[in-house]
Amino acid sequence: MSHEHPNQFALLKQRRFAPFFWTQFLGAANDNVFKFAFTLMVTYQLQLSWLPPQMAGLVIGALFILPFVLFSATSGQLADKHDKARLMQLVKSLEIAIMALAAWGFYAAHVPTLLACVFLMGLHSTLFGPVKYAYLPQQLNERELTGGNGMVEMGTFVAILLGQLAGGVLVDTPVVGPQHVAWACLALAVLGRLTAQGIPASPSTDPGLKINWNPVTETWRNLRLAHEQLAVFRSLLGISWMWFFGAVFLANFPAFAKEVLHGGPQVASLLLAVFSIGIGIGSLLCELLSKRHVEIGLVPLGAIGMSVFAIDLYFASTGLPPAAELSVAAFLAQPAHWRVLADLTLLALFAGLYSVPMYALIQLRAQPTHRARIIAANNILNALFMIASSLIAGALLGAGLSIPEVFLAVGIANAIVGIYIFLIVPEYLLRFAAFVLTRLIYRFRIVHDERIPTSGPAVLVCNHVSFVDAVLLMAASPRPIRFLMDHQIFKIPVLGWMFKLAKAIPIAPQKADPATYEAAFTAARAVLADGEMVCIFPEGGITRDGTLQPFKGGVMKLVDGLPDVPVIPMALGNLWGSFFSRVEGGHAMVKPMRRGLWSRVSLTVDEPLPAAAATPQGLQARVQALLGTVGP
C-alpha cells in the first residue's frame, strides 16, 4: 500500500465511496425535507385540536426516534448477515414506497398518514445506520477511515441543513406548498435509489448468523459484545454523550432565537446553519489534523472546545437588551450577536473533532463479524441519550433555569464527563499528549508509516534518544503500543504517570533485579499472544552522547518461539540535543527553548523482518542505516 494518499475529497471520484456518499446524503436530506415541512404544516397551516402546535415538534421527533429503540438490534444483525450494498438498495426501495404514501398524505392533508410515515422514515434510518457505518471499514483502509467518516459526517449535516431549508421554503408556497413537498420527497427517494445502484458489492461478514428477533435480548447481547473491548464500549458512550450534548442545543434553537436573542424564525434557521457548518468544518478538519490516521488524540481537544464555547455562549447570550422581533439583517447588525454565532460555530466544530475519531475507532477496533451489531447498539444508546437529553433539559427549564443557564450546565457537565472518560480510557489522554508534542513542540515527520501493521502482533525495535521517544512512537502508530521501559523512568514526575497510564512494562537489568527482568518478558510475550504490539529499546537506556549504543539480546529472548511475529526496525532522527534528551553533562530537561518551537524530528520505519532473521547486530546495523539515510 502506498503511503502517498490523496485527500478525503478524492474519495468522491471513486466508485467504492461516491455512490454510497450520495445515497446517504440524499436520504438525510429527504428525512429533513419531509419532517420539517410536516412540522411547519401542522404548526402554521392546520388547526388540529388533538395535535396542538407546541406539541407537534415533540411528537414528530419522538415518532422518528422510536424505531431506533425498537429495531436497531435487528437491523445490526441484518447488516452483518447480508451484503451491505444489496441491503442499502432494498432500504432505498422502501423509501420510495414510504414517500409515495407520504405524497398522498400531503395532497389529502391527512395527518395520521403523515405521522405513520414519520415512524416509517425512522425505520428507514434505523435500517440504514448500521449498514452505513459497517460499509466504510470494508471499503476504506485505516489511512482513509478518518477522512471517509469526516466526509459522511459533513455530508449528513449539510443534507440536514439543506433539507430543512428546502422543506421550509416549499411548504410555505401558498396553496400548493404541500404538493410541492410531496413531489420533492418522492424525487429525492428515487434519486437515492438510483445512486444506491452504483454501490459496489460489500460481502457479508457473518453469513451464518441466526437472527434473534427479540430486540431487548439482542440489544443487551450487543452491548456485552462491545463491552469486551473497553476502548470500543467507552467510545460508544462518548458518541452517545455527544448526541445528548448536541440535542440540547438543536432542540432549543427556536426558543433561544425567540426569547433570548429576540429574533424571528429566520434567526433560528441561521443558528441551525452556523451549527451545521461548524460540524461540517470540524468533521473535515479531522483528516488534516490526524495526518490521515485514526487519531483519537483529537477527542480530548474536541471535548475541551465543546465545554469552553458552551460556557462562553452563556456569557455571550445573557444580558442582551430587549428588542422587537429582529430580522436576520437586524440581528447581524449588532456586534454582540457575532460572539453568539462564533461560540455556536466553534462549539459545533469541536463536536465534529470529538465525534469523527470515535466513529473511526469503533469501525477499526470492533470485530468485523459483529461491527454492524455494535454500531446498532450505539444507535440505541444515541436514541436513549437524546430522549434523556430532552427530558433533563425540559426538567431544568421547568425548574426555572433560562436557556443560557441550561447551555452553561451542559458545558460544565461535558467537562466532567470528558475528565471521567479520559481517566477510565487513558489511551485518549495519551494520544492527546502525543498529538500536542508532535504538533506544537516538534514538527514530526514519519517516513514509511504504512509499514507499522494495523492488526496482528509485532515487535517494534527503536533507538533510544530521549525521555519522550515512547510518546512520539505512540503518535506514529494507528493503534496502542506496549513499551518495555526502564523501571527508573516511572519515578519521573508526569512522564512516569503517563507511562503507567499507557501500561508500559517496567524492566530492570538482569543482574540488578532478575525477578523484574523475567516478569517483564513474561508480560510482553502475553501482549504479543493477544495480537498486540510491543516496543523495545535494545540499547538498554537513553544514549548519553547521541550515538547508537550496542543492541542487547532482549529482542531474541522476546521472540524466541514466536516465528510468526514480525520485527520492525525504526529510527528516531534529530532528537539528540532537544529538551528531553540527555545533553550538557548527561542532564535532560534543561533550557526548554534550546531548540525553539517546532524543531524538526523524524521517525523512519524499515521493512518488517521475520523473527528468525532478527539478531541484535543485524537490527543495530539496520537502525544505523536508517539514521544515516534520512535527515530531519
Side-chain angles (χ1 to χ4, degrees):
M1 181 186 15
S2 165
H3 66 286
E4 288 301 326
H5 283 259
N7 67 31
Q8 55 202 358
F9 294 102
L11 291 170
L12 286 175
K13 297 176 185 171
Q14 298 177 24
R15 189 176 164 224
R16 63 201 171 115
F17 186 78
F20 159 77
F21 175 84
W22 292 114
T23 300
Q24 68 87 33
F25 180 91
L26 291 164
N30 205 7
D31 274 347
N32 285 279
V33 169
F34 170 64
K35 279 193 302 177
F36 200 64
F38 179 37
T39 306
L40 291 179
M41 189 173 143
V42 173
T43 306
Y44 292 106
Q45 297 176 8
L46 304 174
Q47 302 302 315
L48 300 170
S49 57
W50 57 274
L51 188 61
Q54 62 268 32
M55 290 300 293
L58 286 172
V59 169
I60 289 167
L63 272 174
F64 190 78
I65 285 175
L66 185 59
F68 284 93
V69 180
L70 297 178
F71 304 116
S72 280
T74 308
S75 70
Q77 294 176 87
L78 292 171
D80 276 333
K81 183 175 175 65
H82 299 290
D83 183 293
K84 291 168 190 60
R86 186 76 192 109
L87 263 179
M88 285 190 262
Q89 290 155 6
L90 289 169
V91 170
K92 299 317 278 185
S93 298
L94 172 67
E95 186 184 353
I96 295 173
I98 297 166
M99 282 305 151
L101 180 62
W104 178 84
F106 277 119
Y107 265 87
H110 196 263
V111 173
T113 298
L114 291 170
L115 286 172
C117 288
V118 170
F119 179 84
L120 290 171
M121 281 305 281
L123 173 63
H124 156 272
S125 296
T126 303
L127 292 168
F128 196 79
V131 194
K132 173 171 94 169
Y133 283 111
Y135 171 86
L136 283 174
Q138 266 188 280
Q139 297 290 343
L140 306 183
N141 62 41
E142 186 272 333
R143 290 175 65 85
E144 297 168 320
L145 209 46
T146 295
N149 274 288
M151 290 293 287
V152 168
E153 200 84 348
M154 176 276 298
T156 301
F157 275 90
V158 170
I160 289 169
L161 176 61
L162 294 177
Q164 296 204 353
L165 291 174
V169 169
L170 289 170
V171 80
D172 215 22
T173 313
V175 186
V176 291
Q179 289 93 309
H180 284 178
V181 175
W183 285 107
C185 289
L186 204 50
L188 285 169
V190 171
L191 265 178
R193 179 62 185 83
L194 290 173
T195 56
Q197 198 59 37
I199 299 171
S202 196
S204 163
T205 48
D206 190 0
L209 175 68
K210 284 190 168 56
I211 305 279
N212 172 14
W213 297 99
N214 183 326
V216 178
T217 57
E218 184 58 26
T219 301
W220 184 247
R221 193 166 75 184
N222 292 345
L223 289 172
R224 282 198 3 243
L225 264 174
H227 196 266
E228 288 171 13
Q229 293 164 286
L230 280 180
V232 169
F233 182 71
R234 280 155 184 168
S235 297
L236 299 183
L237 293 177
I239 287 169
S240 295
W241 169 256
M242 196 272 295
W243 282 103
F244 178 104
F245 179 91
V248 170
F249 290 89
L250 290 168
N252 285 290
F253 278 165
F256 180 60
K258 183 181 177 186
E259 294 167 23
V260 180
L261 304 178
H262 316 295
Q266 288 76 24
V267 172
S269 296
L270 175 67
L271 299 184
L272 175 70
V274 298
F275 194 83
S276 300
I277 290 163
I279 288 262
I281 293 168
S283 301
L284 292 178
L285 274 176
C286 286
E287 185 186 64
L288 179 71
L289 292 172
S290 66
K291 296 185 177 174
R292 302 200 183 119
H293 273 306
V294 175
E295 178 50 85
I296 60 172
L298 292 174
V299 175
L301 180 67
I304 292 165
M306 285 160 68
S307 281
V308 166
F309 292 107
I311 291 166
D312 192 65
L313 184 60
Y314 162 76
F315 292 107
S317 57
T318 45
L320 291 172
E325 189 174 287
L326 300 170
S327 66
V328 170
F331 176 80
L332 292 175
Q334 298 190 21
H337 293 154
W338 283 91
R339 181 176 164 193
V340 171
L341 292 178
D343 280 334
L344 272 176
T345 306
L346 290 166
L347 178 155
L349 184 151
F350 280 98
L353 290 182
Y354 174 92
S355 64
V356 168
M358 280 198 178
Y359 273 118
L361 175 89
I362 291 165
Q363 291 164 339
L364 189 66
R365 303 261 185 99
Q367 297 170 38
T369 51
H370 296 90
R371 199 183 275 134
R373 277 168 281 174
I374 286 170
I375 291 161
N378 186 45
N379 286 343
I380 296 169
L381 285 175
N382 291 348
L384 294 175
F385 271 65
M386 286 166 77
I387 292 163
S389 139
S390 60
L391 294 174
I392 291 168
L396 290 174
L397 292 168
L401 268 69
S402 67
I403 293 174
E405 284 168 345
V406 170
F407 291 167
L408 174 68
V410 172
I412 293 167
N414 183 67
I416 294 165
V417 168
I419 290 164
Y420 173 70
I421 287 176
F422 306 137
L423 286 177
I424 60 171
V425 190
E427 193 185 338
Y428 284 114
L429 214 50
L430 294 165
R431 296 292 298 220
F432 179 57
F435 178 81
V436 169
L437 185 72
T438 54
R439 281 148 178 100
L440 299 183
I441 297 174
Y442 295 125
R443 267 181 297 175
F444 187 42
R445 183 163 72 104
I446 311 165
V447 182
H448 291 308
D449 60 341
E450 76 280 3
R451 291 172 178 171
I452 302 172
T454 53
S455 62
V459 175
L460 310 179
V461 172
C462 193
N463 57 325
H464 208 356
V465 195
S466 77
F467 286 105
V468 292
D469 293 351
V471 183
L472 290 170
L473 294 180
M474 275 181 216
S477 171
R479 61 197 183 107
I481 304 171
R482 295 285 296 277
F483 294 90
L484 277 162
M485 301 188 77
D486 186 336
H487 66 302
Q488 298 291 345
I489 206 165
F490 291 89
K491 296 174 184 173
I492 297 171
V494 183
L495 280 177
W497 174 74
M498 271 183 63
F499 293 136
K500 279 178 191 161
L501 276 182
K503 298 183 182 170
I505 302 163
I507 188 167
Q510 188 173 16
K511 290 176 184 170
D513 189 345
T516 300
Y517 178 81
E518 288 300 331
F521 281 100
T522 302
R525 288 168 70 86
V527 170
L528 292 171
D530 282 343
E532 300 299 327
M533 295 197 294
V534 171
C535 180
I536 189 166
F537 298 103
E539 294 164 275
I542 296 170
T543 178
R544 291 179 176 274
D545 60 6
T547 62
L548 194 64
Q549 308 300 301
F551 279 18
K552 296 180 177 158
V555 182
M556 308 296 295
K557 184 176 173 70
L558 185 56
V559 297
D560 184 34
L562 299 170
D564 298 328
V565 175
V567 178
I568 303 166
M570 313 166 87
L572 285 163
N574 207 38
L575 261 172
W576 177 250
S578 74
F579 175 57
F580 296 103
S581 68
R582 292 191 188 279
V583 71
E584 315 214 352
H587 296 294
M589 292 186 265
V590 289
K591 295 186 185 172
M593 296 303 292
R594 183 194 297 129
R595 291 261 296 266
L597 278 179
W598 296 310
S599 64
R600 294 175 183 275
V601 297
S602 65
L603 175 73
T604 310
V605 186
D606 205 348
E607 292 279 4
L609 287 170
T615 64
Q617 297 79 10
L619 290 168
Q620 185 181 341
R622 277 181 173 254
V623 172
Q624 187 69 65
L626 293 175
L627 289 168
T629 55
V630 180

